[in-house]
Amino acid sequence: MQTIPFKKYQGTGNDFVMIDNRTDFFPKNNVQLVAAMCDRKKGIGADGLLLLENDVEHDFRMVYYNADGKESTMCGNGGRCIVAFAKELGVIQHECRFIAIDGLHQAEIFPDGRISLQMTDVNHIKSMLNGVFLDTGSPHHVEWITDVEAMNVFEQGKKIRNHDCYAPGGTNVNFVETLADGEYLVRTFERGVEDETLSCGTGATAVAIAAHHLGKTQSEKIKIKVMGGTLEVYFQYDGTGYKNVYLTGPAEKSFEGNYQVKSCS
Ligand SMILES: N[C@@H](CCC[C@H](N)C(=O)O)C(=O)O
């Protein structure tokens, strides 16, 4: 029986299986295998799985899969976790440049262990349903409500995620409450996990930019409280779009092991 060595990381409660695929051993199109590894009852359990691969021009390449086993768009918390993983593997020291599905990312590991990751620029924000839609590397619906803690995020998030106006790709859904100027509480329903997660990095980034775009704050430094901790988002608004966008927060290893591949995977 084949085994796959893995490490498990989490960033503000968004958890990931990390695999060193620099030897290109991982069967990248095996959706059932990735979903089985992410299964919380029968597998390792995770919101997603990431491969760290060699890249000729950059420090490494990141490949991201959701818990459903399908390769997806950018993952902000996964991006921060893979930087910590790359440091553990000795691929990088404190700064790096890596390539992901949405392009080049720069990142820095701060002395306190937090990781700051540059996210894609955002130039388009649309009004949709009762909120706004923007793409921060992954698609996000952002909606302000009065009581985030009381919200049925699973039920309401699922409805918006599958709404006709977001077909065929669907969207991630963020419900937001203002706590103070430049400080927001967020709960996210994630596409591909098809459930609420404790944190979503591209979602936190989307909320920060949406808050500025909607005139809820003039600040370009935003604090985002999520169910699994706190993230910070920095950006520069140049009058037309959002540039130099950075997502900062913790990323930590929780355990490592060997996954036993089942014959049906
Ligand atoms: N957890 C992620 C978002 C991952 C991508 C998302 N589920 C999608 O498929 O759109 C994050 O931290 O950004």
Side-chain angles (χ1 to χ4, degrees):
M1 185 182 287
Q2 190 198 346
T3 62
I4 299 178
F6 70 89
K7 296 185 198 276
K8 181 83 189 293
Y9 275 75
Q10 60 88 20
T12 52
N14 208 189
D15 60 341
F16 308 101
V17 173
M18 316 295 295
I19 294 173
D20 176 2
N21 195 34
R22 285 176 294 170
T23 57
D24 209 17
F25 78 97
F26 192 81
K28 291 171 76 168
N29 297 320
N30 192 335
V31 174
Q32 289 84 357
L33 173 63
V34 175
M37 292 178 82
C38 292
D39 188 304
R40 294 201 184 275
K41 303 278 189 213
K42 295 184 174 175
I44 300 160
D47 293 326
L49 180 146
L50 290 96
L51 303 178
L52 183 147
E53 300 193 328
N54 288 321
D55 186 83
V56 281
E57 288 174 53
H58 308 98
D59 291 309
F60 60 89
R61 171 175 292 271
M62 159 179 161
V63 182
Y64 173 73
Y65 301 84
N66 277 318
D68 64 4
K70 295 182 194 148
E71 189 177 348
S72 194
T73 46
M74 181 58 187
C75 178
N77 287 328
R80 293 186 310 94
C81 286
I82 205 167
V83 171
F85 181 48
K87 168 90 167 41
E88 188 191 348
L89 293 174
V91 172
I92 62 157
Q93 290 305 308
H94 295 286
E95 289 179 346
C96 65
R97 286 157 67 86
F98 70 90
I99 198 88
I101 195 158
D102 63 339
L104 179 65
H105 291 265
Q106 299 193 43
E108 185 182 345
I109 305 176
F110 291 161
D112 66 5
R114 286 178 311 141
I115 292 172
S116 184
L117 172 66
Q118 187 173 23
M119 307 295 285
T120 189
D121 293 351
V122 174
N123 295 309
H124 306 288
I125 305 175
K126 283 197 286 190
S127 292
M128 291 292 265
L129 304 173
N130 293 319
V132 292
F133 174 80
L134 60 162
D135 195 314
T136 52
S138 278
H140 283 276
H141 174 94
V142 178
E143 187 168 320
W144 259 258
I145 59 169
T146 48
D147 188 351
V148 162
E149 283 186 27
M151 185 73 176
N152 187 333
V153 172
F154 179 75
E155 206 172 275
Q156 298 306 317
K158 194 174 176 175
K159 269 189 205 155
I160 298 170
R161 183 257 183 264
N162 291 305
H163 197 284
D164 285 351
C165 72
Y166 288 123
T171 184
N172 299 284
V173 182
N174 304 273
F175 296 105
V176 192
E177 185 182 326
T178 299
L179 299 175
D181 183 15
E183 194 175 326
Y184 305 96
L185 175 65
V186 181
R187 289 175 65 192
T188 305
F189 181 95
E190 262 194 57
R191 177 181 79 155
V193 181
E194 305 309 333
D195 204 347
E196 181 180 3
T197 55
L198 293 179
S199 173
C200 177
T202 48
T205 306
V207 168
I209 290 173
H212 188 274
H213 170 79
L214 293 170
K216 293 181 184 289
T217 184
Q218 298 302 308
S219 179
E220 296 183 335
K221 286 184 180 180
I222 309 287
K223 189 181 271 193
I224 303 288
K225 292 201 169 168
V226 294
M227 293 299 105
T230 302
L231 290 163
E232 286 167 319
V233 180
Y234 305 92
F235 51 77
Q236 287 170 333
Y237 179 62
D238 68 3
T240 55
Y242 293 85
K243 315 255 180 299
N244 295 320
V245 180
Y246 284 87
L247 170 71
T248 303
E252 288 158 1
K253 186 167 107 172
S254 41
F255 61 91
E256 60 185 84
N258 290 294
Y259 177 79
Q260 307 283 327
V261 178
K262 322 285 178 305
S263 49
C264 56
S265 293

